[in-house]
Amino acid sequence: MSAPAKIPLAKRVVPFLAKWSKVGVERSIVGVKLFAANAKVELRPPTPGEVVIAAGDFAKVVKTATTFRFMNYSVKEAWVHTLVGAEIFGWFIVGEVIGKRTLRGYFP
């Protein structure tokens, strides 16, 4: 019985890479389409009606802070508000880093 013939590495790898690169391209196209659909909704500027609603919401936040109503929040509500504040702060920091184009301070 003779030993099986060895198939060169290139003949094994090229079909494998061709198959998986096609799968990668197909999946990335789906991802780009999904991003574009979400970006149309999420990245648009606010309408004048939404600005009025936001101003009213801000007034409610100020009233809550001045009357200490936040002291009556449940632990879950307080935790959610803390996480939202942390996310806003995090995106602020990301914007600062992008604006400075460095992780270091404003001065070299």
Side-chain angles (χ1 to χ4, degrees), residues 46-54:
T47 63
E50 291 172 336
V51 172
V52 171
I53 292 171

